[in-house]
Amino acid sequence: MPAASDTRQSIIDAVLRIIGQDGIAAVTNRRIAKEAGVSLGSVTYHFATQHELLRESLLHFVAEETRHFTALADDCSDDRFDLGQAAEVVARVAGGNAFDSRHIAPFELYVQAGRDERLRAAAADCFAAYDLLATRILTQLGVPDPGRLAGVAVALVFGQQLRRLATGAPAEDLVDTLLVLMSLAPERSAGDPSRT
């Protein structure tokens, strides 16, 4: 018999798959139970309401994304970090995520957070992790006021990812766009004391 935490995780994974495949409207307890391979009673035992299911699914995704993007940000702390390395990181972020159901689900959850303020704190946590990575990259590239521009860079990435999702545009379009923007940023010398 699986542990309660394993059952709960199976349910969350099933919710994310269902959302990615068919949207939030398709999330029903019966479908979750079938997708997760658990009893219908297990779904209601672990999650009393659909809001709780959606919130916990988003929080799980946020925790994974925060770990992933924090690790990427830590990798961007080398003083020799340059535009080529920035392009590699952007390619990993933009191109590394194939748009399967697991990666489409967060977009659905972010839209749902726009409708349900109870999900907004979890969504904000995830965007904070994206902003951290963008700030670190922009700082390493010597872009002035990187904290202020990080949100713009993140918005550009999300917009391009939505475009990829809707049109099938290649990930390289995003990398090219960001490289053009970065090439417009003034360079700082290695001895610049404002470079941290």
Side-chain angles (χ1 to χ4, degrees), residues 122-140:
D125 288 345
C126 202
F127 277 94
Y130 301 147
D131 289 349
L132 172 66
L133 176 59
T135 300
R136 190 71 56 88
I137 290 172
L138 295 172
T139 298
Q140 290 302 107

Side-chain angles (χ1 to χ4, degrees), residues 7-139:
T7 300
R8 188 175 176 87
Q9 188 59 53
S10 294
I11 292 168
I12 288 171
D13 290 341
V15 169
L16 289 171
R17 282 193 305 275
I18 293 165
I19 291 171
Q21 291 165 1
D22 296 314
I24 288 176
V27 176
T28 65
N29 287 354
R30 191 170 306 282
R31 179 145 179 214
I32 294 165
K34 181 178 179 184
E35 184 81 24
V38 300
S39 70
L40 188 57
S42 290
V43 176
T44 55
Y45 172 79
H46 287 283
F47 300 98
T49 65
Q50 187 178 50
H51 164 72
E52 186 183 349
L53 266 169
L54 294 177
R55 182 178 176 279
E56 290 300 313
S57 298
L58 181 56
L59 286 173
H60 172 72
F61 175 79
V62 165
E64 285 187 345
E65 287 286 270
T66 300
R67 276 192 299 274
H68 175 68
F69 281 91
T70 301
L72 283 176
D74 289 344
D75 290 344
C76 299
S77 60
D78 185 347
D79 285 339
R80 294 180 306 266
F81 190 83
D82 61 17
L83 202 54
Q85 289 170 299
E88 288 176 23
V89 172
V90 170
R92 283 168 56 191
V93 170
N97 290 344
F99 278 115
D100 58 15
S101 63
R102 183 133 174 107
H103 293 98
I104 294 171
F107 288 93
E108 294 269 354
L109 287 166
Y110 293 142
V111 170
Q112 187 65 22
R115 296 183 184 111
D116 185 346
E117 66 184 37
R118 297 170 296 179
L119 297 175
R120 290 184 189 157
D125 288 345
C126 202
F127 277 94
Y130 301 147
D131 289 349
L132 172 66
L133 176 59
T135 300
R136 190 71 56 88
I137 290 172
L138 295 172
T139 298

Side-chain angles (χ1 to χ4, degrees), residues 165-186:
L165 176 61
T167 67
E172 291 78 18
D173 288 356
L174 173 60
V175 176
D176 291 345
T177 301
L178 290 178
L179 287 175
V180 167
L181 290 174
M182 292 301 101
S183 69
L184 299 175

